[in-house]
Amino acid sequence: MTPASFVGVDWGTSSFRLWALTDHGHILAASRGPYGMAQLKKDDYASVLNNSLDDLGVDASVPVIICGMAGAAQGWHEAPYCSAPAHLHQLGVDAVRVPGVNRDVRILPGVKQQHPANVMRGEETQIAGLLHSHPDFLGTVCMPGTHTKWVTIQNQSIVDFETCMTGEQFALLSSQSVLSHSMSSTEWDDNAFLDGVRETLAQPDAVARRLFSIRAETLVGTQTAAQARARLSGLLIGQELAATRPYWRDQCVTLIGEPDLCALYAIAFASCDARSHTMTGESMTIAGLVSAYTVNKDTTGD
Amino acid sequence: MTPASFVGVDWGTSSFRLWALTDHGHILAASRGPYGMAQLKKDDYASVLNNSLDDLGVDASVPVIICGMAGAAQGWHEAPYCSAPAHLHQLGVDAVRVPGVNRDVRILPGVKQQHPANVMRGEETQIAGLLHSHPDFLGTVCMPGTHTKWVTIQNQSIVDFETCMTGEQFALLSSQSVLSHSMSSTEWDDNAFLDGVRETLAQPDAVARRLFSIRAETLVGTQTAAQARARLSGLLIGQELAATRPYWRDQCVTLIGEPDLCALYAIAFASCDARSHTMTGESMTIAGLVSAYTVNKDTTGD
């Protein structure tokens, strides 16, 4: 097999994804596992990484670039945030070398914004990936997930950004609140989703009293479990769109994330005559790791 | 001791509260425990009740009136909902006798609303208690709790009502979401609470992006754990007030509930120049059980 030029890792709160890559981002080998910051102590990171690389037969001389929560204060080794407005070139420049490891391991910084306060770790690398192939990109990137990011990009920089906890709210309300008794974990109804989006966009201040109606419609109405689950998702995504209107109105939004989740946002955008197109999160992460690796190598001269 | 005329029980989702009462609602003995619908199977209810009455030495001839989730389909024995608009007199009339018990045990119905769909079980009895002492009451009752009820009362009837899941959302977000890392379980800051209320009332559609800012302000700002917790509560109660404006604007709202929680709502009302006064939830429950017992006795002639 062609020897890997470097190894890229996306090390998040709940998962670990690793790719052995050529200089141009061609994947030579990959592995993943449920070894995220939430599961690991500081001392665990080195062995998770080394075991994974040994399994793939990656030589100890191959450098490693990591993005995500491994660089948080409570992660493996802190990589201090860059401040927005932040040029994406800075990620590779500010990568922090992890001490005391038998390899060259560097962690990319996240990005922070002071006013209004906000932070990201991992998404900035996907944006670097987008700019790697579209250096002239100008506009809004929406990155759906547990904590959805809305990012304004201009001059290869993150100008400002917002975060909505829509994914986490959906997970908590659908599985742990009284609403969980009205829904199943898999069924779905597109019309109920769109009704929820439209209702919230038309009357965003009513969300607080719409949520319980999902339970009540099951008890006194004819709502199905599929309708209940999709309606909850629609109300919450509608609430997010109401809060982020300046980011998407009169724009073509670029969605980066898991295809299924991006498809939901795309349907929601279409329902309010907004446009979007989707790029896969994993491919953007890999492109961003390649970009940061290249900058880091050129900068440090290692 | 004066023999009890009847026993009143408030049997909810997570707790059981029982009072041996005179005709006029004087408490002769009381007990309580964590035996709610969430903890019990149908077959458990009779023994929980009997053990509690035996402990207090209440004779088997004393009738029992129950309100709350014990009357839900998934509770002890279903007491079908009255439909709103619902005269509070109807609770005692429609009480359902539980079969197969060695006592006279009756469960009060809840109230349902068809459009928009809504349900209550337990709160209607507190409203009957309010009308017991204030038969001419006209206006809005707000009942803060896990699921806060907003109720319009006119002609001794529940005209319409809304439910906000504010208490449950606060519990989930403060203890299980990413925001939990920014707050402690007890500290509190009044100013941060009021700032949250005011911000949401001024811009209710921005709530979705304000929530994560609680976490971000801890990471990049100087926000304390007390401020974080109070701010979350303020944002959520502000969101509730934005959704229920027609219920409280230009009204003096009557709050019924736990005094500490009602005090928070009272502060929030005062901050937007609305008026409120508070009545204790337990005393309203007892008065409502007395009222329903009296109606039921007169109606059935038992």
Side-chain angles (χ1 to χ4, degrees):
Chain A
M1 144 174 139
T2 314
S5 296
F6 77 106
V7 167
V9 182
D10 179 10
W11 212 325
T13 300
S14 57
S15 71
F16 163 90
R17 293 184 298 175
L18 177 151
W19 304 274
L21 299 162
T22 66
D23 270 340
H24 295 95
H26 181 64
I27 301 173
L28 301 171
S31 71
R32 60 172 64 204
Y35 321 118
M37 185 183 69
Q39 291 81 39
L40 300 178
K41 300 199 186 84
K42 275 190 197 299
D43 292 346
D44 300 332
Y45 285 85
S47 57
V48 169
L49 178 65
N50 282 327
N51 291 343
S52 185
L53 292 174
D54 290 347
D55 288 349
L56 296 179
V58 177
D59 194 84
S61 64
V62 178
V64 177
I65 290 275
I66 300 173
C67 69
M69 295 303 286
Q74 67 274 43
W76 184 3
H77 183 77
E78 185 168 9
Y81 296 110
C82 299
S83 290
H87 196 288
L88 274 304
H89 182 83
Q90 207 58 32
L91 302 182
V93 174
D94 288 353
V96 170
R97 184 156 180 178
V98 181
V101 195
N102 63 339
R103 297 177 179 273
D104 182 339
V105 177
R106 292 168 199 240
I107 304 185
L108 302 179
V111 175
K112 73 174 174 185
Q113 175 175 280
Q114 205 68 38
H115 302 292
N118 220 318
V119 292
M120 63 168 72
R121 274 200 190 272
E123 294 90 351
E124 72 296 323
T125 303
Q126 295 182 314
I127 292 170
L130 171 69
L131 294 177
H132 196 56
S133 52
H134 299 78
D136 298 329
F137 185 91
L138 171 72
T140 293
V141 175
C142 170
M143 313 171 90
T146 304
H147 300 152
T148 300
K149 301 291 178 188
W150 292 81
V151 190
T152 306
I153 311 288
Q154 193 176 1
N155 297 330
Q156 302 197 11
S157 298
I158 292 175
V159 177
D160 58 54
F161 61 106
E162 282 287 358
T163 306
C164 295
M165 297 172 55
T166 308
E168 187 162 21
Q169 286 181 280
F170 179 77
L172 289 171
L173 289 172
S174 66
S175 67
Q176 297 195 52
S177 82
V178 69
L179 305 185
S180 66
H181 304 302
S182 287
M183 55 193 71
S184 72
S185 59
T186 53
E187 293 174 276
W188 186 264
D189 181 298
D190 277 335
N191 289 330
F193 171 74
L194 283 174
D195 286 348
V197 172
R198 287 195 200 102
E199 261 179 57
T200 324
L201 274 172
Q203 206 181 347
D205 58 0
V207 173
R209 57 190 166 81
R210 296 248 193 269
L211 290 175
F212 186 80
S213 76
I214 294 172
R215 180 62 184 147
E217 284 287 358
T218 300
L219 293 172
V220 310
T222 57
Q223 177 187 254
T224 65
Q227 288 169 332
R229 183 155 173 271
R231 182 169 158 73
L232 174 61
S233 176
L235 290 176
L236 294 175
I237 289 179
Q239 184 181 29
E240 174 170 354
L241 295 188
T244 55
R245 222 178 268 267
Y247 280 86
W248 55 264
R249 194 167 39 193
D250 305 324
Q251 300 261 346
C252 177
V253 174
T254 296
L255 288 159
I256 298 179
E258 294 297 323
D260 287 355
L261 187 55
C262 287
L264 270 191
Y265 277 72
I267 294 169
F269 281 128
S271 78
C272 45
D273 294 325
R275 290 167 304 135
S276 67
H277 72 274
T278 296
M279 310 193 76
T280 308
E282 184 163 304
S283 61
M284 291 299 102
T285 300
I286 292 170
L289 288 164
V290 170
S291 168
Y293 166 71
T294 308
V295 170
N296 183 260
K297 195 173 61 169
D298 292 349
T299 309
T300 61
D302 288 356
Chain B
M1 149 175 133
T2 313
S5 294
F6 78 106
V7 167
V9 182
D10 179 11
W11 213 324
T13 301
S14 57
S15 71
F16 163 89
R17 293 184 297 175
L18 177 150
W19 305 274
L21 299 162
T22 66
D23 271 340
H24 295 95
H26 181 64
I27 301 172
L28 302 170
S31 71
R32 61 172 62 204
Y35 320 118
M37 185 183 70
Q39 290 81 38
L40 301 178
K41 300 199 186 86
K42 275 190 198 299
D43 291 346
D44 300 333
Y45 284 85
S47 57
V48 168
L49 179 64
N50 283 326
N51 291 344
S52 185
L53 292 174
D54 290 348
D55 287 350
L56 295 179
V58 177
D59 195 82
S61 65
V62 178
V64 177
I65 290 276
I66 300 173
C67 71
M69 295 304 287
Q74 67 274 42
W76 185 2
H77 184 77
E78 185 170 8
Y81 295 110
C82 299
S83 290
H87 196 289
L88 274 303
H89 183 83
Q90 207 59 32
L91 302 181
V93 175
D94 288 353
V96 170
R97 185 157 178 177
V98 181
V101 196
N102 63 340
R103 297 178 179 273
D104 183 340
V105 177
R106 294 170 198 238
I107 305 185
L108 302 180
V111 175
K112 73 174 174 185
Q113 176 176 279
Q114 205 68 39
H115 301 293
N118 221 318
V119 291
M120 63 168 73
R121 275 200 189 272
E123 295 90 350
E124 72 297 324
T125 304
Q126 296 182 314
I127 291 169
L130 172 68
L131 293 177
H132 197 55
S133 52
H134 299 78
D136 298 328
F137 185 91
L138 171 71
T140 293
V141 175
C142 170
M143 312 171 91
T146 305
H147 301 150
T148 301
K149 302 290 179 188
W150 292 81
V151 190
T152 306
I153 311 288
Q154 193 176 2
N155 298 328
Q156 302 197 10
S157 298
I158 292 174
V159 178
D160 58 53
F161 62 104
E162 282 288 357
T163 305
C164 295
M165 296 173 56
T166 308
E168 187 163 20
Q169 285 181 281
F170 178 77
L172 289 170
L173 290 172
S174 66
S175 67
Q176 296 195 52
S177 82
V178 69
L179 305 184
S180 66
H181 303 303
S182 287
M183 54 194 70
S184 72
S185 60
T186 52
E187 292 173 277
W188 186 264
D189 181 299
D190 277 334
N191 289 330
F193 171 74
L194 283 174
D195 286 348
V197 172
R198 287 195 201 101
E199 261 180 56
T200 325
L201 274 172
Q203 207 180 348
D205 58 0
V207 174
R209 58 189 166 80
R210 297 248 193 268
L211 290 175
F212 186 80
S213 75
I214 294 172
R215 180 62 184 147
E217 283 288 358
T218 301
L219 292 171
V220 310
T222 57
Q223 178 187 253
T224 65
Q227 288 169 332
R229 183 156 173 271
R231 182 169 158 74
L232 173 61
S233 176
L235 290 176
L236 293 176
I237 289 180
Q239 184 181 29
E240 175 170 353
L241 295 188
T244 55
R245 222 180 269 267
Y247 280 86
W248 55 264
R249 194 167 41 193
D250 305 324
Q251 300 260 347
C252 177
V253 174
T254 296
L255 287 159
I256 298 179
E258 294 297 323
D260 287 356
L261 188 55
C262 287
L264 270 191
Y265 277 73
I267 293 169
F269 282 127
S271 79
C272 45
D273 294 325
R275 291 168 302 136
S276 67
H277 74 273
T278 297
M279 310 192 76
T280 308
E282 185 164 302
S283 61
M284 291 299 102
T285 300
I286 292 170
L289 289 165
V290 170
S291 169
Y293 166 71
T294 308
V295 169
N296 183 259
K297 195 172 62 170
D298 293 349
T299 308
T300 62
D302 288 357

